[in-house]
Amino acid sequence: MSSVAEFVAAAERADPTLTGSNDKDKAEITKLVYQTEGYVNDLSALNEKLTPLTYLYSNYPSSADVSLYAHLHPTLISASSTQHPQQPSLLRYFLQIQSLEPVQSAQKSLPNSFPSLDIDLSSLPTPERKAPPPKVKKDKKPAAAADASAGGVTETVTGAVSAAVGAATSAATTVAETAVSAATSVKEAVVGPSTPAAVPEGKKKEKKEKKEKPAKNQPAAKEEPTGPLPSMIDMRVGRVLDVKRHPDADSLYVETIDVGEEEPRTVCSGLVKYMSEDQIRGATIVVICNLKPVTMRGVKSFAMLLCASSKEGKEEGGVEFVLPPDGSQPGERIYFEGEKYENATPEAQLNPKKKVFETIQPGFITLDTREAAWIDPETKTVHKIRTKDGHLKAQSMIGASLS
């Protein structure tokens, strides 16, 4: 296998911009490259560091990202990578970096050096599924026999995992998840007969069984998502490079917007009644990037601008941009606060049939602080919308809807 330095050099040959665009950037990126090896010594700390970040340096990929990818590779590519749903930001970052063109180019020029991790994100267990361990501890207390049974379970599961990993290393995540499910089933099977053996009173046995079974069944049904989640929406910082009137629609502007990609996106927006071209041109705004492209009067629109509409109505109170924190750069990741959402990876493209944005949008609002947020219609919890540097805000509107 080639060294990390050789792999980084191959990626830099494929894309020289990884080293930085000026002397200052080059110096900072070089410093980060030397630090990446130490990052992998504490994965929990690294996961926390990566939570608000898209890339290690600024808002574009660099040699430091390729170096960290290569240093993480031995851990994540092995069967033990199944532990990393505990570090969702780390896993998100790793999968993102391995999809970059210069990384894939380096993999081709150095075959088998740092191959991509093939993983189905939908197959990963959620953190809530780690609840069974406390139940196993409770079951061990009544009978010493449970300890011996649990030991047998451990040996059985260990053998199953070893055999599965040997049979399909490329499917390590799916195999490990299956093994965990099998372990849970076996433990439940063991706990059932061991409890009656330890408790002589029949009535006490029945009471315990009645209490434990509903506790196991009810949460499992609630853990699975029942509908669209806000984290499915891909929001990024954008900068309007140019704006002009739509040639065939009086109410539409056609904007050219930088969202941190190689080419800017063309976007159509119905803002003619509410803003002038000068107000829009050069503005740093919020862009929803994974809606299905739509042709609007002959011009194809590849995104949507997030705006606040007055609670009195658009016609009465007007429309204004939702703004990212000062200093935000095109392409910066925007996410919802909350453990359930901030580490999630957005959908590549929202399925119009599932009406994800239409379902989530009614919960968008600006608070008394003008901060943008989403209010969960079921729990009524408030999840502010932010970048790594701070919260999104409307220019002046309170209690406004966002769309």
Side-chain angles (χ1 to χ4, degrees):
M1 177 180 284
S2 302
S3 68
V4 172
E6 290 174 326
F7 189 77
V8 173
E12 290 173 346
R13 286 194 295 272
D15 184 0
T17 64
L18 291 173
T19 61
S21 58
N22 54 55
D23 291 341
K24 178 185 176 183
D25 287 350
K26 289 179 180 179
E28 292 297 325
I29 291 170
T30 300
K31 187 188 300 182
L32 280 172
V33 168
Y34 286 112
Q35 294 173 350
T36 53
E37 184 174 5
Y39 287 163
V40 301
N41 293 331
D42 188 342
L43 297 183
S44 295
L46 180 58
N47 180 76
E48 185 175 352
K49 177 181 178 65
L50 293 174
T51 295
L53 300 180
T54 302
Y55 303 109
L56 286 179
Y57 184 77
S58 191
N59 304 304
Y60 55 85
S62 70
S63 302
D65 295 300
V66 181
S67 178
L68 181 55
Y69 166 83
H71 282 301
L72 281 169
H73 193 276
T75 302
L76 286 172
I77 209 70
S78 67
S80 63
S81 64
T82 53
Q83 68 178 299
H84 295 297
Q86 298 173 7
Q87 288 97 31
S89 293
L90 186 152
L91 185 58
R92 167 188 60 79
Y93 172 84
F94 185 87
L95 295 177
Q96 173 180 288
I97 300 305
Q98 78 172 13
S99 68
L100 296 176
E101 290 186 8
V103 172
Q104 294 178 350
S105 177
Q107 290 169 339
K108 291 178 181 178
S109 63
L110 300 171
N112 301 319
S113 292
F114 298 96
S116 295
L117 172 62
D118 185 13
I119 182 171
D120 179 8
L121 291 177
S122 64
S123 70
L124 293 177
T126 59
E128 290 81 0
R129 293 180 185 174
K130 295 175 184 177
K135 295 178 182 178
V136 173
K137 290 180 180 178
K138 289 180 181 178
D139 292 330
K140 286 181 180 179
K141 290 179 182 179
D147 292 332
S149 299
V153 171
T154 302
E155 293 175 359
T156 302
V157 175
T158 302
V161 172
S162 299
V165 170
T169 302
S170 64
T173 303
T174 304
V175 171
E177 184 181 2
T178 303
V180 171
S181 298
T184 303
S185 300
V186 175
K187 287 178 183 177
E188 290 174 352
V190 171
V191 169
S194 66
T195 301
V199 182
E201 298 179 14
K203 293 183 179 180
K204 290 184 178 180
K205 297 178 203 173
E206 293 177 0
K207 287 182 180 179
K208 286 187 177 181
E209 289 177 359
K210 289 180 181 178
K211 289 180 180 178
E212 288 176 0
K213 287 183 179 178
K216 291 177 183 176
N217 294 333
Q218 291 176 1
K222 294 180 181 178
E223 286 171 3
E224 297 299 327
T226 56
L229 300 175
S231 51
M232 295 177 176
I233 302 171
D234 180 8
M235 290 192 289
R236 304 181 214 165
V237 175
R239 180 167 294 144
V240 182
L241 304 178
D242 193 22
V243 58
K244 58 186 178 182
R245 296 287 290 270
H246 193 294
D248 298 315
D250 294 338
S251 63
L252 297 178
Y253 283 127
V254 179
E255 297 101 355
T256 303
I257 302 178
D258 179 6
V259 292
E261 299 170 334
E262 290 187 6
E263 298 293 333
R265 295 197 184 199
T266 299
V267 180
C268 296
S269 62
L271 297 175
V272 172
K273 293 182 181 180
Y274 312 107
M275 301 181 194
S276 67
E277 292 181 26
D278 290 338
Q279 288 176 300
I280 299 175
R281 187 179 291 106
T284 300
I285 44 140
V286 177
V287 184
I288 299 175
C289 295
N290 61 342
L291 298 174
K292 185 177 180 179
V294 177
T295 300
M296 305 177 74
R297 295 289 186 91
V299 177
K300 199 166 189 177
S301 179
F302 293 89
M304 187 180 85
L305 310 185
L306 187 66
C307 296
S309 302
S310 172
K311 59 184 177 182
E312 284 81 23
K314 291 182 180 180
E315 300 299 328
E316 294 76 7
V319 174
E320 62 187 28
F321 285 131
V322 175
L323 302 177
D326 292 341
S328 296
Q329 299 298 315
E332 279 191 41
R333 176 177 175 245
I334 296 173
Y335 58 96
F336 296 81
E337 289 184 337
E339 182 179 354
K340 185 177 180 180
Y341 308 117
E342 62 188 20
N343 293 315
T345 301
E347 298 284 316
Q349 181 174 296
L350 297 179
N351 186 342
K353 294 181 180 179
K354 295 184 178 180
K355 299 188 179 297
V356 175
F357 185 77
E358 292 83 351
T359 302
I360 300 301
Q361 185 273 329
F364 284 150
I365 194 171
T366 56
L367 307 175
D368 291 343
T369 56
R370 294 185 289 110
E371 292 173 316
W374 176 71
I375 299 178
D376 190 318
E378 295 182 4
T379 65
K380 306 304 178 185
T381 53
V382 177
H383 302 271
K384 294 181 181 180
I385 311 172
R386 62 173 299 141
T387 69
K388 62 181 177 62
D389 296 319
H391 298 105
L392 275 55
K393 288 187 176 182
Q395 292 170 292
S396 62
M397 294 180 180
I398 295 173
S401 63
L402 309 180
S403 61

Coordinates of all heavy atoms in Angstrom, one line a residue, residues 112-192:
N112 N -5.7 0.1 -5.0 CA -5.8 -0.6 -3.7 C -5.1 0.1 -2.6 O -4.9 -0.4 -1.5 CB -5.2 -2.0 -3.9 CG -5.9 -2.8 -4.9 OD1 -7.1 -2.8 -5.0 ND2 -5.1 -3.5 -5.7
S113 N -4.7 1.4 -2.8 CA -4.1 2.1 -1.7 C -5.1 2.5 -0.6 O -4.9 2.1 0.5 CB -3.4 3.4 -2.2 OG -2.3 3.1 -3.1
F114 N -6.0 3.3 -0.9 CA -7.0 3.7 0.0 C -8.4 3.6 -0.7 O -9.0 4.7 -1.0 CB -6.8 5.1 0.5 CG -5.5 5.3 1.2 CD1 -4.3 5.7 0.6 CD2 -5.4 5.0 2.6 CE1 -3.1 5.8 1.2 CE2 -4.1 5.1 3.3 CZ -3.0 5.5 2.6
P115 N -8.9 2.4 -0.9 CA -10.2 2.2 -1.7 C -11.4 2.8 -0.9 O -11.3 2.9 0.3 CB -10.3 0.7 -1.8 CG -9.5 0.2 -0.7 CD -8.3 1.1 -0.5
S116 N -12.4 3.1 -1.7 CA -13.6 3.7 -1.1 C -14.3 2.8 -0.2 O -14.3 1.5 -0.4 CB -14.5 4.2 -2.2 OG -14.0 5.2 -2.9
L117 N -14.9 3.3 0.9 CA -15.8 2.5 1.8 C -17.2 2.5 1.2 O -17.8 3.5 0.9 CB -15.8 3.2 3.1 CG -16.8 2.6 4.2 CD1 -16.4 1.2 4.5 CD2 -16.8 3.5 5.4
D118 N -17.6 1.3 0.9 CA -18.9 1.0 0.3 C -19.9 0.8 1.4 O -19.9 -0.3 2.0 CB -18.9 -0.1 -0.7 CG -20.2 -0.3 -1.4 OD1 -21.0 0.6 -1.3 OD2 -20.4 -1.4 -2.0
I119 N -20.8 1.8 1.7 CA -21.7 1.6 2.8 C -23.0 2.2 2.5 O -23.1 3.3 1.8 CB -21.1 2.3 4.1 CG1 -22.1 2.1 5.3 CG2 -20.8 3.7 3.9 CD1 -21.4 2.5 6.6
D120 N -24.1 1.6 2.8 CA -25.5 2.0 2.7 C -25.9 2.8 3.9 O -26.1 2.2 5.0 CB -26.4 0.9 2.4 CG -27.8 1.3 2.2 OD1 -28.1 2.5 2.1 OD2 -28.7 0.5 2.1
L121 N -26.0 4.1 3.8 CA -26.3 4.9 5.0 C -27.6 4.5 5.7 O -27.8 4.6 6.9 CB -26.3 6.4 4.7 CG -24.9 7.0 4.4 CD1 -25.1 8.5 4.0 CD2 -23.9 6.9 5.5
S122 N -28.5 4.1 4.8 CA -29.9 3.7 5.4 C -29.8 2.5 6.2 O -30.7 2.2 7.0 CB -30.9 3.5 4.2 OG -30.5 2.4 3.4
S123 N -28.7 1.7 6.1 CA -28.6 0.5 6.9 C -28.0 0.7 8.2 O -28.0 -0.2 9.0 CB -27.8 -0.6 6.1 OG -26.4 -0.2 6.1
L124 N -27.5 1.9 8.5 CA -26.8 2.1 9.8 C -27.8 2.1 10.9 O -28.9 2.7 10.8 CB -26.0 3.4 9.7 CG -24.8 3.5 8.8 CD1 -24.2 4.9 8.8 CD2 -23.8 2.4 9.2
P125 N -27.5 1.5 12.0 CA -28.3 1.6 13.2 C -28.4 3.0 13.8 O -27.4 3.7 13.7 CB -27.7 0.6 14.2 CG -26.3 0.5 13.8 CD -26.3 0.7 12.3
T126 N -29.5 3.4 14.3 CA -29.6 4.7 14.9 C -29.1 4.6 16.4 O -29.1 3.5 17.0 CB -31.1 5.2 14.9 OG1 -31.9 4.2 15.6 CG2 -31.6 5.3 13.5
P127 N -28.7 5.7 17.0 CA -28.2 5.7 18.3 C -29.2 5.1 19.3 O -28.8 4.5 20.3 CB -27.9 7.2 18.6 CG -27.6 7.8 17.3 CD -28.5 7.0 16.4
E128 N -30.5 5.3 19.1 CA -31.5 4.8 20.0 C -31.5 3.3 20.1 O -32.0 2.8 21.1 CB -32.9 5.2 19.5 CG -33.2 6.7 19.7 CD -32.6 7.5 18.5 OE1 -32.0 6.9 17.6 OE2 -32.7 8.8 18.5
R129 N -31.0 2.6 19.2 CA -31.0 1.1 19.2 C -29.9 0.6 20.2 O -29.8 -0.6 20.3 CB -30.7 0.6 17.8 CG -31.8 0.9 16.8 CD -31.5 0.3 15.5 NE -32.6 0.7 14.5 CZ -32.5 0.5 13.2 NH1 -31.5 -0.2 12.7 NH2 -33.5 0.8 12.4
K130 N -29.2 1.5 20.8 CA -28.2 1.0 21.8 C -28.8 0.9 23.2 O -28.1 0.8 24.2 CB -27.0 2.0 21.8 CG -26.3 2.0 20.5 CD -25.2 3.0 20.4 CE -24.5 3.1 19.1 NZ -23.5 4.1 19.0
A131 N -30.1 1.0 23.3 CA -30.8 0.9 24.6 C -30.7 -0.5 25.2 O -30.8 -0.6 26.4 CB -32.3 1.3 24.5
P132 N -30.6 -1.7 24.5 CA -30.7 -3.0 25.1 C -29.6 -3.3 26.2 O -30.0 -4.0 27.1 CB -30.4 -3.9 23.9 CG -31.0 -3.2 22.7 CD -30.8 -1.8 23.0
P133 N -28.4 -2.7 26.2 CA -27.4 -3.1 27.2 C -27.9 -2.9 28.7 O -27.8 -3.8 29.5 CB -26.2 -2.1 27.0 CG -26.3 -2.0 25.5 CD -27.7 -1.9 25.1
P134 N -28.7 -1.8 29.0 CA -29.2 -1.7 30.4 C -30.1 -2.9 30.7 O -30.2 -3.4 31.9 CB -29.9 -0.4 30.4 CG -29.2 0.4 29.4 CD -28.9 -0.6 28.3
K135 N -30.9 -3.3 29.8 CA -31.9 -4.4 30.0 C -31.2 -5.7 30.3 O -31.6 -6.5 31.1 CB -32.8 -4.6 28.8 CG -33.7 -3.4 28.5 CD -34.5 -3.6 27.3 CE -35.4 -2.4 27.0 NZ -36.2 -2.6 25.8
V136 N -30.0 -5.9 29.6 CA -29.3 -7.1 29.9 C -28.7 -7.2 31.3 O -28.7 -8.1 32.0 CB -28.1 -7.3 28.8 CG1 -27.2 -8.4 29.2 CG2 -28.7 -7.4 27.4
K137 N -28.3 -6.0 31.8 CA -27.7 -5.9 33.1 C -28.8 -6.2 34.2 O -28.6 -6.9 35.1 CB -27.2 -4.5 33.4 CG -25.9 -4.2 32.6 CD -25.4 -2.8 32.9 CE -24.1 -2.5 32.1 NZ -23.7 -1.1 32.3
K138 N -30.0 -5.7 33.9 CA -31.1 -6.0 34.8 C -31.4 -7.5 34.9 O -31.7 -8.1 35.9 CB -32.4 -5.3 34.4 CG -32.3 -3.8 34.6 CD -33.6 -3.1 34.1 CE -33.5 -1.6 34.3 NZ -34.7 -0.9 33.8
D139 N -31.4 -8.2 33.7 CA -31.7 -9.6 33.7 C -30.6 -10.4 34.4 O -30.8 -11.5 34.8 CB -31.8 -10.0 32.2 CG -33.1 -9.4 31.6 OD1 -34.0 -9.2 32.4 OD2 -33.1 -9.2 30.4
K140 N -29.4 -9.9 34.4 CA -28.3 -10.7 35.0 C -28.4 -10.7 36.5 O -27.9 -11.6 37.2 CB -26.9 -10.1 34.6 CG -26.5 -10.4 33.2 CD -25.2 -9.8 32.9 CE -24.8 -10.0 31.5 NZ -23.5 -9.5 31.1
K141 N -29.1 -9.7 37.1 CA -29.1 -9.6 38.6 C -29.9 -10.8 39.2 O -29.5 -11.3 40.2 CB -29.7 -8.3 39.0 CG -28.8 -7.1 38.7 CD -29.5 -5.8 39.1 CE -28.6 -4.6 38.8 NZ -29.2 -3.4 39.2
P142 N -31.1 -11.2 38.7 CA -31.9 -12.2 39.4 C -31.2 -13.6 39.4 O -31.4 -14.4 40.4 CB -33.2 -12.3 38.6 CG -33.2 -11.0 37.8 CD -31.8 -10.7 37.6
A143 N -30.4 -14.0 38.4 CA -29.9 -15.4 38.4 C -28.5 -15.4 37.9 O -28.1 -14.8 36.9 CB -30.8 -16.2 37.5
A144 N -27.7 -16.3 38.6 CA -26.3 -16.5 38.2 C -26.3 -17.2 36.9 O -25.3 -17.2 36.1 CB -25.6 -17.2 39.3
A145 N -27.3 -18.0 36.6 CA -27.4 -18.8 35.4 C -27.3 -17.9 34.2 O -26.9 -18.3 33.1 CB -28.7 -19.7 35.4
A146 N -27.9 -16.7 34.3 CA -27.9 -15.8 33.2 C -26.5 -15.4 32.7 O -26.2 -15.2 31.6 CB -28.6 -14.5 33.5
D147 N -25.5 -15.4 33.7 CA -24.1 -15.1 33.4 C -23.6 -16.1 32.4 O -22.9 -15.8 31.4 CB -23.3 -15.0 34.6 CG -23.7 -13.8 35.5 OD1 -24.2 -12.8 34.8 OD2 -23.5 -13.8 36.7
A148 N -23.8 -17.4 32.8 CA -23.3 -18.5 32.0 C -23.9 -18.5 30.6 O -23.3 -18.7 29.6 CB -23.5 -19.8 32.7
S149 N -25.2 -18.2 30.6 CA -25.9 -18.1 29.3 C -25.4 -17.0 28.4 O -25.2 -17.1 27.2 CB -27.4 -18.0 29.5 OG -27.9 -19.0 30.3
A150 N -25.2 -15.8 29.1 CA -24.7 -14.7 28.3 C -23.3 -15.0 27.8 O -23.0 -14.5 26.7 CB -24.6 -13.5 29.3
G151 N -22.5 -15.7 28.5 CA -21.2 -16.1 28.0 C -21.3 -16.9 26.7 O -20.6 -16.7 25.8
G152 N -22.3 -17.8 26.7 CA -22.5 -18.6 25.5 C -23.0 -17.8 24.4 O -22.6 -18.0 23.2
V153 N -23.8 -16.8 24.7 CA -24.3 -15.9 23.7 C -23.1 -15.1 23.0 O -23.0 -15.0 21.8 CB -25.3 -14.9 24.3 CG1 -25.7 -13.8 23.2 CG2 -26.6 -15.6 24.7
T154 N -22.2 -14.6 23.9 CA -21.1 -13.9 23.4 C -20.3 -14.7 22.5 O -19.9 -14.2 21.4 CB -20.2 -13.4 24.6 OG1 -21.0 -12.6 25.5 CG2 -19.0 -12.6 24.1
E155 N -20.0 -16.0 22.8 CA -19.2 -16.8 22.0 C -19.9 -17.1 20.6 O -19.3 -17.1 19.6 CB -18.9 -18.2 22.7 CG -18.0 -18.0 23.9 CD -17.8 -19.3 24.6 OE1 -18.4 -20.3 24.2 OE2 -17.1 -19.4 25.6
T156 N -21.2 -17.3 20.7 CA -22.0 -17.5 19.5 C -22.0 -16.4 18.6 O -21.7 -16.5 17.4 CB -23.5 -17.9 19.9 OG1 -23.5 -19.0 20.7 CG2 -24.3 -18.2 18.6
V157 N -22.2 -15.1 19.1 CA -22.2 -13.9 18.3 C -20.9 -13.6 17.7 O -20.7 -13.2 16.6 CB -22.7 -12.7 19.2 CG1 -22.6 -11.5 18.3 CG2 -24.2 -13.0 19.6
T158 N -19.8 -13.8 18.6 CA -18.4 -13.6 18.1 C -18.1 -14.5 16.9 O -17.6 -14.0 15.9 CB -17.4 -13.8 19.2 OG1 -17.7 -13.0 20.3 CG2 -16.0 -13.5 18.7
G159 N -18.5 -15.7 17.0 CA -18.3 -16.7 15.9 C -19.0 -16.2 14.6 O -18.5 -16.3 13.5
A160 N -20.3 -15.8 14.9 CA -21.1 -15.4 13.7 C -20.5 -14.2 13.0 O -20.5 -14.1 11.8 CB -22.5 -15.0 14.2
V161 N -20.0 -13.2 13.8 CA -19.5 -12.0 13.2 C -18.2 -12.3 12.5 O -17.9 -11.9 11.4 CB -19.2 -10.9 14.3 CG1 -18.4 -9.8 13.7 CG2 -20.5 -10.5 15.0
S162 N -17.3 -13.2 13.1 CA -16.1 -13.6 12.4 C -16.3 -14.2 11.1 O -15.7 -13.9 10.1 CB -15.3 -14.5 13.3 OG -14.9 -13.9 14.6
A163 N -17.3 -15.2 11.1 CA -17.6 -15.9 9.8 C -18.1 -14.9 8.8 O -17.8 -15.0 7.6 CB -18.6 -17.0 10.1
A164 N -19.0 -14.0 9.3 CA -19.6 -13.1 8.3 C -18.6 -12.1 7.7 O -18.6 -11.8 6.5 CB -20.7 -12.3 9.0
V165 N -17.7 -11.6 8.6 CA -16.7 -10.7 8.1 C -15.8 -11.4 7.1 O -15.4 -10.8 6.0 CB -15.9 -10.1 9.2 CG1 -14.6 -9.4 8.7 CG2 -16.7 -9.2 10.1
G166 N -15.4 -12.7 7.4 CA -14.5 -13.4 6.4 C -15.2 -13.6 5.1 O -14.6 -13.7 4.1
A167 N -16.6 -13.8 5.1 CA -17.3 -14.0 3.9 C -17.5 -12.8 3.0 O -17.6 -12.9 1.8 CB -18.6 -14.7 4.2
A168 N -17.6 -11.6 3.7 CA -17.9 -10.4 2.9 C -17.4 -9.2 3.6 O -18.1 -8.5 4.3 CB -19.4 -10.3 2.7
T169 N -16.1 -8.9 3.4 CA -15.5 -7.7 4.0 C -16.1 -6.4 3.5 O -16.3 -5.5 4.2 CB -14.0 -7.7 3.7 OG1 -13.4 -8.9 4.2 CG2 -13.3 -6.6 4.4
S170 N -16.4 -6.4 2.2 CA -16.9 -5.2 1.6 C -18.3 -4.8 2.1 O -18.7 -3.7 2.0 CB -17.0 -5.3 0.1 OG -17.9 -6.4 -0.3
A171 N -19.0 -5.8 2.7 CA -20.3 -5.5 3.3 C -20.2 -5.5 4.8 O -21.1 -5.9 5.5 CB -21.3 -6.6 2.8
A172 N -19.1 -5.0 5.4 CA -18.9 -5.1 6.8 C -20.0 -4.5 7.6 O -20.4 -5.0 8.6 CB -17.5 -4.4 7.1
T173 N -20.4 -3.3 7.2 CA -21.4 -2.6 8.0 C -22.8 -3.4 8.1 O -23.3 -3.5 9.1 CB -21.7 -1.2 7.3 OG1 -20.5 -0.5 7.3 CG2 -22.7 -0.4 8.2
T174 N -23.2 -3.9 6.9 CA -24.5 -4.6 6.9 C -24.3 -5.9 7.7 O -25.3 -6.3 8.4 CB -24.8 -5.0 5.4 OG1 -24.9 -3.8 4.7 CG2 -26.2 -5.7 5.4
V175 N -23.2 -6.6 7.6 CA -23.0 -7.8 8.3 C -23.0 -7.6 9.8 O -23.6 -8.3 10.6 CB -21.6 -8.5 7.9 CG1 -21.3 -9.7 8.8 CG2 -21.7 -9.0 6.5
A176 N -22.3 -6.5 10.2 CA -22.2 -6.2 11.7 C -23.6 -5.9 12.2 O -23.9 -6.3 13.3 CB -21.2 -5.1 11.9
E177 N -24.4 -5.1 11.4 CA -25.7 -4.8 11.9 C -26.6 -6.0 12.1 O -27.3 -6.2 13.0 CB -26.3 -3.8 10.9 CG -27.7 -3.3 11.4 CD -28.4 -2.4 10.4 OE1 -27.8 -2.2 9.4 OE2 -29.4 -1.9 10.7
T178 N -26.4 -6.9 11.1 CA -27.2 -8.2 11.2 C -26.8 -9.0 12.4 O -27.6 -9.6 13.1 CB -26.9 -9.1 10.0 OG1 -27.3 -8.3 8.8 CG2 -27.7 -10.3 10.0
A179 N -25.4 -9.0 12.7 CA -24.9 -9.7 13.9 C -25.5 -9.1 15.2 O -25.8 -9.8 16.1 CB -23.4 -9.7 13.9
V180 N -25.6 -7.8 15.2 CA -26.1 -7.1 16.4 C -27.6 -7.5 16.6 O -28.0 -7.8 17.7 CB -26.0 -5.6 16.3 CG1 -26.7 -4.9 17.4 CG2 -24.5 -5.2 16.3
S181 N -28.3 -7.5 15.5 CA -29.7 -7.9 15.6 C -29.8 -9.3 16.1 O -30.7 -9.7 16.9 CB -30.4 -7.8 14.2 OG -30.3 -6.4 13.8
A182 N -28.9 -10.2 15.6 CA -29.0 -11.6 16.0 C -28.6 -11.7 17.4 O -29.2 -12.5 18.2 CB -28.0 -12.4 15.1
A183 N -27.7 -10.9 17.9 CA -27.3 -11.0 19.3 C -28.5 -10.6 20.2 O -28.7 -11.2 21.2 CB -26.1 -10.0 19.6
T184 N -29.2 -9.6 19.8 CA -30.3 -9.1 20.6 C -31.4 -10.2 20.7 O -31.9 -10.5 21.7 CB -31.0 -7.9 19.9 OG1 -30.0 -6.9 19.8 CG2 -32.1 -7.3 20.7
S185 N -31.6 -10.9 19.5 CA -32.6 -12.0 19.5 C -32.2 -13.1 20.4 O -33.0 -13.7 21.2 CB -32.8 -12.5 18.1 OG -33.3 -11.4 17.3
V186 N -30.9 -13.5 20.3 CA -30.4 -14.6 21.2 C -30.5 -14.2 22.6 O -30.9 -15.0 23.5 CB -29.0 -14.9 20.8 CG1 -28.4 -16.0 21.7 CG2 -28.9 -15.4 19.3
K187 N -30.1 -13.0 23.0 CA -30.1 -12.6 24.4 C -31.6 -12.6 24.9 O -31.8 -13.0 26.1 CB -29.6 -11.2 24.5 CG -28.1 -11.1 24.4 CD -27.6 -9.7 24.4 CE -26.1 -9.6 24.2 NZ -25.5 -8.3 24.2
E188 N -32.5 -12.2 24.1 CA -33.9 -12.2 24.6 C -34.4 -13.7 24.8 O -35.1 -14.0 25.7 CB -34.8 -11.5 23.5 CG -34.6 -10.0 23.5 CD -35.4 -9.4 22.3 OE1 -35.9 -10.1 21.5 OE2 -35.4 -8.1 22.3
A189 N -33.9 -14.5 23.9 CA -34.2 -15.9 24.0 C -33.7 -16.5 25.3 O -34.3 -17.3 26.0 CB -33.7 -16.8 22.8
V190 N -32.5 -16.1 25.7 CA -31.8 -16.6 26.9 C -32.5 -16.1 28.1 O -32.7 -16.7 29.1 CB -30.3 -16.3 26.8 CG1 -29.7 -16.6 28.2 CG2 -29.6 -17.1 25.7
V191 N -32.7 -14.8 28.1 CA -33.3 -14.1 29.3 C -34.6 -14.7 29.6 O -35.0 -14.8 30.8 CB -33.4 -12.6 29.0 CG1 -34.2 -11.9 30.1 CG2 -32.0 -12.0 29.0
G192 N -35.4 -15.1 28.6 CA -36.8 -15.6 28.9 C -36.7 -16.8 29.8 O -37.3 -16.7 30.9

